[in-house]
Each structure stands twice: as structure tokens, then as C-alpha cells.
């Protein structure tokens, strides 16, 4: 299966999710997103973050066309703002967010408390920024009233505006302008991107937190700017044989852009750029693509990494 994102195809390819879910996501005439109090066992998975029990809510997305939920998640409420913490997709296209396990987000947010000083600013995508403010208790100034980068399946023609309004609620309108500058910084070269990020941090020491899914979110927010795509290779984990097969597939299809391999349940996902020039974008250098090397970044110092998350200090 090959998926590509570009103008007119909004985040169809991203699915950091279960290989054993539905084989396809059929067009859905309508769906329901319900938010209810989190169950005790769900809240317990995030107990290490010290969140108020009453702030945790369960999100469930259902459709009359399907027998079980399409996606479920846990969010923390900050006023009317929703901060997604845990997410599970049960279809082969992501619904709003990529998969995030409770154990992983708890580990990442706890590490941010340890690696980032109180007086610093962490620049991250708006959903992670909310989680950092609520759970890691660190300054993450970015937000977005328009919820840029939501992963809306292309068959859900009516969902975009509804979900952007839902997830953007509570963020001040000017936040969209600042967040747009953040997206543009990630899609610039390293020098220009670093300068733009430093301005967003103001006079505070700056850190940048990115996740492998951010490249897909950036592509959804800026159609046509990033030639990201993926192909899944059945496997129980990354191995030399799988990588060899993936590289041969890229050669056979004359794909020259950099790639990143990610294990998902029952498969290895090959994220790749169809255009070699996209390797120059800052986001490609901050994430584990084949042409990137954190040790060679002139303006960024890697301070923490866990699975798809990478945290840097801006020099």
C-alpha cells in the first residue's frame, strides 16, 4: 500500500496505528464524536503525570457504517481546550491524530520535566504543546485556534471545518499567526528555521520537540510543500531484511528522497520523500530520516529521544 499527500489529499497517508485494524476506511456519511469521563483503568495509565482525575476525558469516534469505534483517545481538558494525550486508531487511515500509547506519552512528558529548565520555552505542534503545559508543567507557548494539521481522511468531506472548530476552541485567534510561523520554520532550511524559532521563543532559552507525525501534519497544513508518502512492509519489527526490501522497492520505483523506518504493529512503515530536495527542510533534519544526522546540526543539540519523539535545544 502506498499513500502520498499533496494538494487535494489531506493526510491520507499517516497511520501510526494498528496493522490489524480495518483494511480500508470507507466513505462515512456521518459520524459521532463523544466525550465522556475517563474510566478508572484509563486514568490509571496516566497516573504518573499527576493530572487531576476530573480533567481526563475519553473520546470515541463512531459511525453507523461501522460496528466498533473508528478511534478512541484520552484528552485532558484545560478550560474548553482539549489536549490529546493518548490515541488509538482502529482503521488504516488516521482519524485526527496518530497513534500514541499512554506509556510513551507519560515517559516523554516526564522526561521533558527533567531535561527542560523551568525558564525555557518548548516549541512543538499545538496538540503536544497543550500536553506539555498541562502535564509536563513547562512553558509551551504555541497553540492554534484553527487546529492546523488535523489528519482528516479525504473521504470525510464535511469533517474538516467541524473538527478544526472543535479542537481549535479555546485558543485565542492570534495564536494561528504564530503557529503558522512555526510551520513555515519547520519547512525552511536549518538556518532560516532556527532564526524563526528563536523569535517565537522570545527572550527565553528555546527547545524544540518534534514527532515523526509532524511531517505529515505539516504536509496537511501546507499541501504541496512536502512530498511525504509511505509504504508498509509486513514484519514483526525493523530488520536488515526489511530495510533491504524497502530500499530495493525505492530503487525500483526511482524514489530518490530520504526515508525513515518505523515499526508498527505487524509491519514496518517506510516514510519517504518523493523529492530529494525535501531533505533540506528543517523538519527532515530534526527527524530520523536517512539523510539526517543530529550530530551535524549547527543550531540544534539533541537532548532527548524516545521512539518517534525528538527534543532539541536551540543553540
Amino acid at each position: 500500500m502506498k499513500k502520498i499527500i499533496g494538494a487535494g489529499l489531506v493526510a491520507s497517508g499517516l497511520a501510526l496505528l494498528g496493522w490489524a485494524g480495518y483494511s480500508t476506511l470507507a466513505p462515512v456519511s456521518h459520524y459521532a464524536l463523544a466525550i465522556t469521563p475517563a474510566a478508572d483503568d484509563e486514568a490509571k495509565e496516566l497516573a504518573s503525570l499527576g493530572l487531576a482525575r476530573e480533567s481526563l476525558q475519553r473520546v470515541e469516534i463512531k459511525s453507523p457504517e461501522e460496528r466498533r469505534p473508528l478511534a478512541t483517545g484520552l484528552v485532558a481538558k484545560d478550560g474548553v481546550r482539549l489536549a490529546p494525550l493518548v490515541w488509538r486508531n482502529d482503521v488504516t487511515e488516521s482519524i485526527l491524530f496518530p497513534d500514541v500509547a499512554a506509556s510513551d506519552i507519560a515517559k516523554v512528558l516526564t522526561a521533558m520535566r527533567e531535561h527542560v529548565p523551568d525558564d525555557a520555552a518548548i516549541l512543538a505542534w499545538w496538540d503536544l504543546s497543550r500536553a506539555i503545559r498541562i502535564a509536563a508543567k513547562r512553558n509551551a507557548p504555541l497553540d492554534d485556534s484553527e487546529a492546523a494539521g488535523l489528519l482528516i481522511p479525504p473521504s470525510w468531506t464535511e469533517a474538516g471545518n467541524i473538527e478544526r472548530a472543535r479542537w481549535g476552541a479555546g485558543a485565542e485567534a492570534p495564536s494561528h499567526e504564530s503557529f503558522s510561523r512555526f510551520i513555515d520554520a519547520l519547512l525552511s532550511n536549518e538556518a532560516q528555521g532556527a532564526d524563526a524559532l528563536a523569535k517565537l521563543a522570545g527572550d527565553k532559552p528555546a527547545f524544540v520537540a518534534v514527532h515523526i507525525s509532524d511531517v505529515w501534519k505539516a504536509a496537511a497544513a501546507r499541501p504541496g510543500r512536502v512530498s511525504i508518502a509511505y509504504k508498509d512492509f509486513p514484519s514483526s519489527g525493523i530488520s536488515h531484511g526489511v530495510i533491504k526490501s524497502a530500499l530495493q522497492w525505492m530503487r525500483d520505483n526511482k524514489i530518490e528522497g530520504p526515508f525513515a523506518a518505523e515499526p508498527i504493529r505487524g509491519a514496518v512503515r517506510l516514510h519517504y520523500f518523493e523529492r530529494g530536495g525535501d531533505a533540506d527542510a528543517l523538519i527532515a533534519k530534526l527527524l530520523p530520516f536517512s539523510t539526517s544526522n543530529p550530530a551535524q546540526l549547527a543550531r540544534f543539540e539533541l537532548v532527548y529521544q524516545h521512539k518517534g519523539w525528538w527534543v532539541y535545544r536551540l543553540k
Side-chain angles (χ1 to χ4, degrees):
M1 178 175 62
K2 173 185 174 183
K3 296 284 186 178
I4 182 170
I5 190 165
L9 182 57
V10 182
S12 172
L14 179 67
L16 308 178
L17 46 79
W19 179 253
Y22 296 126
S23 60
T24 59
L25 176 60
V28 175
S29 58
H30 61 280
Y31 66 97
L33 189 152
I35 300 178
T36 58
D40 289 340
D41 58 337
E42 294 173 324
K44 186 177 181 180
E45 293 181 318
L46 297 173
S48 64
L49 295 177
L51 295 168
R53 174 68 178 78
E54 60 273 13
S55 72
L56 292 176
Q57 305 284 305
R58 186 176 197 271
V59 177
E60 186 175 81
I61 300 177
K62 301 184 73 172
S63 166
E65 283 91 349
E66 303 291 354
R67 300 173 62 181
R68 58 175 175 169
L70 304 177
T72 55
L74 287 180
V75 301
K77 293 196 71 174
D78 178 16
V80 298
R81 275 187 280 203
L82 301 174
L85 299 172
V86 178
W87 203 261
R88 179 185 173 92
N89 294 285
D90 284 304
V91 290
T92 53
E93 293 180 47
S94 285
I95 310 294
L96 305 184
F97 304 102
D99 269 28
V100 177
S103 58
D104 291 329
I105 193 62
K107 184 173 184 177
V108 170
L109 294 174
T110 299
M112 287 185 183
R113 295 176 186 168
E114 299 172 356
H115 292 280
V116 179
D118 291 342
D119 63 344
I122 307 178
L123 304 174
W125 209 269
W126 60 265
D127 51 350
L128 181 56
S129 292
R130 293 180 187 180
I132 292 169
R133 291 195 297 269
I134 293 173
K137 307 300 182 185
R138 289 296 182 266
N139 176 29
L142 297 178
D143 210 326
D144 189 11
S145 58
E146 298 187 17
L150 280 177
L151 305 174
I152 308 292
S155 59
W156 290 29
T157 55
E158 303 299 324
N161 291 336
I162 295 172
E163 295 306 330
R164 280 188 286 272
R166 186 197 312 275
W167 296 93
E172 297 181 358
S175 64
H176 180 65
E177 181 180 350
S178 295
F179 194 73
S180 292
R181 294 200 297 272
F182 174 71
I183 298 173
D184 291 336
L186 294 180
L187 298 179
S188 302
N189 61 41
E190 181 186 348
Q192 293 173 335
D195 289 342
L197 293 172
K199 290 180 180 178
L200 285 172
D203 59 353
K204 296 181 179 298
F207 287 72
V208 182
V210 290
H211 184 267
I212 188 68
S213 64
D214 288 354
V215 68
W216 289 92
K217 296 174 182 177
R222 297 285 189 274
R225 288 277 299 275
V226 182
S227 63
I228 193 67
Y230 79 69
K231 180 176 175 62
D232 288 327
F233 293 83
S235 173
S236 59
I238 293 178
S239 66
H240 178 73
V242 173
I243 294 299
K244 184 178 180 180
S245 298
L247 292 176
Q248 185 60 53
W249 177 85
M250 291 181 70
R251 285 192 292 269
D252 292 343
N253 288 273
K254 296 180 172 57
I255 297 170
E256 299 179 353
F259 67 90
E262 178 187 28
I264 59 174
R265 285 165 284 172
V268 169
R269 173 146 295 162
L270 186 76
H271 305 266
Y272 63 92
F273 293 106
E274 292 203 319
R275 299 189 300 256
D278 286 334
D280 295 330
L282 175 59
I283 193 167
K285 294 184 177 183
L286 296 177
L287 291 169
F289 283 90
S290 55
T291 54
S292 65
N293 186 340
Q296 294 179 351
L297 292 171
R299 301 286 300 276
F300 298 85
E301 176 187 7
L302 182 64
V303 297
Y304 178 76
Q305 185 271 324
H306 174 68
K307 292 188 177 179
W309 288 269
W310 297 70
V311 182
Y312 294 87
R313 181 179 67 85
L314 183 60
K315 296 180 183 178

